[in-house]
């Protein structure tokens, strides 16, 4: 697949930096696991997790949306890491209680109660992928990402999202949760995003479609994932989370922009760094009318660039 070159520019010359990938798979795994949240927005849970059928999941984590994440590392060019990861993903969906107990042990009860099973993810990491890997992923109706890594010297690491597919999340009731015996994430206190979308009037629906079209056009790497209570737009990490307030005619966008760097405008932007809300991002942007999208675009682009 396509190669990426990195150059050091000085006053006298332009020098290409040699990109390398580790041949020892374990060293790559250790590097990612030590820096999982910074690199991928995923909280680390376990390494070499043993399944009931004797398999071992390379890395288990929980992403910023509260969704389970399986990471598999490709050891050789002919290894079918995608099928292996899908096998583990199916196993995980059949063993949700085990995963929630693991989350409770590592991250606490609140995180365990908030596990979102609507969009579990498989992330495959390798020094490179081939065109057959890319094609295979595009045929699968699962949340799969192929991430290529390359090191440039001891201090530079490149991550390249080679291919990704995302599906509209399907809400899975977790009444059998071992944590509290009730539905995860607050039970029936909030309407799921599927119900909320059906309640949008034509004006709100048009505004959302315009917002969605704009964000998807920001780059080929943008993915849309429908969670239980909001819709996340991401590259490798989230850059915008969207909620709706149908009775108020408002669309709320949470972006990863430092509120202290923005001139806050009442009714349009708000600092929510100390307020609870679904999704990620400390700056809330409100679209109350069609014209608000133009004002919101620079903030969305800032968040996109940082993700």
């Amino acid at each position: 697949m396509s190669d990426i070159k990195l150059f050091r520019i000085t006053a006298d010359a332009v020098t290409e930096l040699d990109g390398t990938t580790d041949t020892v798979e374990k060293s790559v795994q250790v590097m990612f696991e030590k820096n999982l949240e910074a690199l991928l927005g995923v909280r680390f849970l376990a390494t070499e997790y043993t399944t009931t059928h004797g398999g071992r999941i390379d890395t288990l984590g929980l992403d910023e949306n509260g969704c389970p994440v399986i990471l598999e590392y490709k050891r050789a060019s002919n290894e079918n890491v995608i099928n292996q990861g899908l096998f583990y993903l199916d196993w995980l969906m059949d063993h949700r209680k085990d995963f929630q107990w693991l989350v409770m042990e590592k991250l606490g009860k609140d995180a365990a109660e908030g596990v979102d099973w609507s969009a579990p993810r498989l992330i495959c990491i390798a020094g490179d992928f081939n065109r057959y890997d890319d094609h295979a992923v595009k045929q699968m109706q699962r949340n799969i990402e192929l991430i290529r890594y390359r090191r440039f010297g001891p201090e530079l690491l490149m991550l390249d999202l080679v291919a990704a597919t995302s599906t509209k999340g399907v809400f899975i009731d977790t009444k059998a949760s071992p944590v509290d015996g009730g539905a995860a994430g607050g039970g029936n206190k909030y309407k799921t995003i599927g119900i909320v979308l059906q309640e949008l009037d034509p004006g709100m629906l048009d505004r959302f479609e315009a917002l969605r079209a704009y964000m998807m056009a920001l780059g080929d790497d943008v993915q849309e994932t429908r969670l239980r209570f909001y819709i996340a737009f991401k590259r490798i990490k989230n850059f915008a989370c969207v909620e709706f307030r149908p009775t108020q005619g408002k669309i709320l966008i949470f972006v990863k922009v430092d509120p202290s760097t923005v001139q806050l405008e009442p009714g349009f932007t708000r600092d929510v760094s100390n307020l609870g809300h679904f999704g990620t991002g400390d700056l809330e942007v409100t679209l109350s009318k069609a014209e608000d999208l133009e004002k919101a675009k620079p903030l969305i682009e800032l968040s996109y660039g940082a993700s």
Side-chain angles (χ1 to χ4, degrees):
M1 300 185 71
S2 62
D3 193 16
I4 290 181
K5 297 183 181 296
L6 191 65
F7 296 87
R8 177 179 287 111
I9 301 174
T10 65
D12 301 320
V14 174
T15 306
E16 181 178 352
L17 300 181
D18 292 329
T20 61
T21 56
D22 288 336
T23 56
V24 181
E25 179 267 338
K26 188 62 179 180
S27 68
V28 178
Q29 183 174 343
V30 170
M31 176 187 66
F32 272 88
E33 289 176 348
K34 285 183 176 180
N35 304 281
L36 206 54
E37 192 159 6
L39 293 174
L40 302 175
V42 175
R43 287 175 285 178
F44 173 76
L45 292 175
T47 184
E48 302 296 338
Y49 185 83
T50 303
T51 65
T52 54
H53 50 52
R56 288 194 305 175
I57 297 173
D58 286 346
T59 307
L60 265 179
L62 191 71
D63 74 8
E64 53 195 332
N65 297 312
C67 295
V69 181
I70 288 176
L71 290 94
E72 290 292 316
Y73 307 87
K74 191 172 182 179
R75 299 176 179 86
S77 60
N78 61 348
E79 183 181 14
N80 198 331
V81 69
I82 300 172
N83 285 351
Q84 179 176 305
L86 287 173
F87 180 75
Y88 289 139
L89 194 59
D90 285 340
W91 179 89
L92 191 66
M93 294 300 291
D94 289 334
H95 295 79
R96 298 197 296 270
K97 290 182 181 180
D98 295 336
F99 182 81
Q100 285 185 268
W101 275 117
L102 177 63
V103 175
M104 184 169 67
E105 291 172 0
K106 299 293 184 178
L107 303 176
K109 184 178 179 181
D110 289 344
E113 291 176 348
V115 172
D116 190 334
W117 290 99
S118 61
R121 297 164 60 193
L122 168 62
I123 300 177
C124 300
I125 296 170
D128 204 358
F129 295 94
N130 58 48
R131 60 178 179 174
Y132 303 111
D133 295 327
D134 182 34
H135 179 76
V137 165
K138 292 176 180 176
Q139 307 308 309
M140 299 172 184
Q141 297 302 308
R142 306 295 289 272
N143 294 305
I144 308 173
E145 295 149 65
L146 304 184
I147 295 180
R148 180 163 62 109
Y149 78 93
R150 183 154 296 183
R151 282 175 164 170
F152 294 88
E155 297 181 349
L156 296 177
L157 172 69
M158 180 211 72
L159 296 183
D160 180 21
L161 184 61
V162 174
T165 58
S166 59
T167 61
K168 292 182 178 179
V170 178
F171 174 64
I172 298 174
D173 193 354
T174 54
K175 290 181 180 179
S177 165
V179 178
D180 63 356
N188 296 321
K189 182 178 180 180
Y190 303 101
K191 294 180 181 179
T192 62
I193 192 66
I195 294 174
V196 172
L197 287 172
Q198 294 175 9
E199 297 177 349
L200 301 185
D201 61 37
M204 282 193 72
L205 192 58
D206 287 345
R207 270 185 282 140
F208 172 62
E209 286 302 325
L211 171 65
R212 178 182 180 275
Y214 164 72
M215 290 198 289
M216 294 302 294
L218 286 172
D220 293 337
D221 56 350
V222 176
Q223 304 167 66
E224 175 187 356
T225 303
R226 187 179 296 183
L227 287 306
R228 280 184 293 177
F229 303 119
Y230 62 95
I231 299 175
F233 292 84
K234 68 185 183 73
R235 302 171 78 185
I236 290 179
K237 301 179 185 179
N238 287 354
F239 68 89
C241 293
V242 178
E243 292 184 41
F244 303 89
R245 300 290 185 269
T247 58
Q248 303 172 28
K250 295 179 180 179
I251 298 174
L252 306 182
I253 314 167
F254 298 93
V255 294
K256 291 181 177 177
V257 175
D258 184 351
S260 66
T261 65
V262 177
Q263 183 65 46
L264 299 179
E265 180 182 333
F268 177 63
T269 49
R270 182 170 66 139
D271 181 352
V272 293
S273 56
N274 295 314
L275 299 176
H277 63 86
F278 293 120
T280 55
D282 289 337
L283 182 67
E284 178 189 276
V285 182
T286 300
L287 305 187
S288 300
K289 50 188 181 299
E291 306 87 81
D292 290 335
L293 177 56
E294 287 302 315
K295 292 196 300 180
K297 285 181 179 179
L299 298 172
I300 296 172
E301 289 173 7
L302 277 175
S303 187
Y304 171 83
S307 65

